[in-house]
Amino acid sequence: GEGFIGTIDEVRISSVARADNEMMFGTPPPMIVPHTADASTLHLWHLDEASGDVSVDAATTSSITLTNLGLPAGGPYNNISLGNASYAGLGNALRITSRNGYANGGNFSDATQFMDPTSGAFTFEAIIKPEVNPLAAPNQMAIVYGDNTSGLADRGWQFRINTSGKLEFNFLANSIGGGAFDYLADLPSSGPNA
């Protein structure tokens, strides 16, 4: 996350467009259990680690090391941590307490690592609990994004809450060789997914 204050848990990225009933808080009744990796799961971070800065990708069995953790400069960092309580039944979560810090991990700027390369289908899922009203935030609140080693200058895509309070997914110009594409969805404000 970048600019996000709150908890992030159960990040799953799939190469298919998943139906509501396949999602943890979809309909019919919510399934409050951790995701499991299936044939369509490209990445799955449970973020259940009790501490540290390494999280295992349950789909690939490789790890990502969270870097650029923020404040105070030079560490030990106190504005972002693994090992925080999540919803009942989901273990731990990643918590970010300051907009000035963010957690990077891995090198995933190529958008094809996050979708079906033939059809372009994908689903991004994450359990998020913002601790700041998105409409009151001065900037967007990134949940997950793909940068190259040069950071924002090489950002290929991003999934975030924008300053209008909508979920926003962007393929940026440098990832697709043309103009940027934005996809927007309303954040639920009532019901089981709010």
Side-chain angles (χ1 to χ4, degrees):
E2 177 181 39
F4 181 86
I5 299 174
T7 56
I8 301 175
D9 198 9
E10 290 297 316
V11 178
R12 179 168 72 169
I13 302 171
S14 304
S15 61
V16 295
R18 291 194 184 269
D20 244 13
N21 64 355
E22 295 180 273
M23 295 184 201
M24 188 176 303
F25 288 100
T27 54
M31 301 174 289
I32 309 296
V33 295
H35 289 302
T36 55
D38 60 21
S40 299
T41 305
L42 298 172
H43 301 283
L44 172 56
W45 294 283
H46 294 295
L47 301 169
D48 281 340
E49 291 77 11
S51 63
D53 61 0
V54 175
S55 185
V56 174
D57 183 338
T60 67
T61 66
S62 61
S63 298
I64 59 168
T65 300
L66 303 174
T67 59
N68 298 327
L69 297 176
L71 299 172
Y77 306 108
N78 59 17
N79 67 321
I80 187 166
S81 59
L82 291 165
N84 299 279
S86 187
Y87 290 97
L90 296 181
N92 291 324
L94 174 74
R95 182 165 184 243
I96 303 170
T97 60
S98 167
R99 287 191 52 81
N100 295 327
Y102 52 94
N104 289 339
N107 184 2
F108 303 113
S109 63
D110 180 358
T112 62
Q113 296 178 46
F114 293 91
M115 67 177 161
D116 180 283
T118 304
S119 70
F122 66 90
T123 303
F124 278 34
E125 300 169 80
I127 303 294
I128 61 169
K129 185 177 180 183
E131 295 177 9
V132 172
N133 180 340
L135 296 175
N139 296 305
Q140 76 280 348
M141 299 188 328
I143 300 164
V144 62
Y145 49 85
D147 288 354
N148 202 335
T149 55
S150 299
L152 184 57
D154 287 332
R155 183 161 293 173
W157 53 270
Q158 55 194 4
F159 182 56
R160 65 188 184 178
I161 302 171
N162 69 20
T163 55
S164 299
K166 293 185 178 286
L167 281 174
E168 178 179 272
F169 181 82
N170 313 107
F171 281 117
L172 302 176
N174 55 354
S175 70
I176 55 175
F181 294 93
D182 298 337
Y183 301 92
L184 300 171
D186 292 324
L187 281 170
S189 58
S190 61
N193 298 329

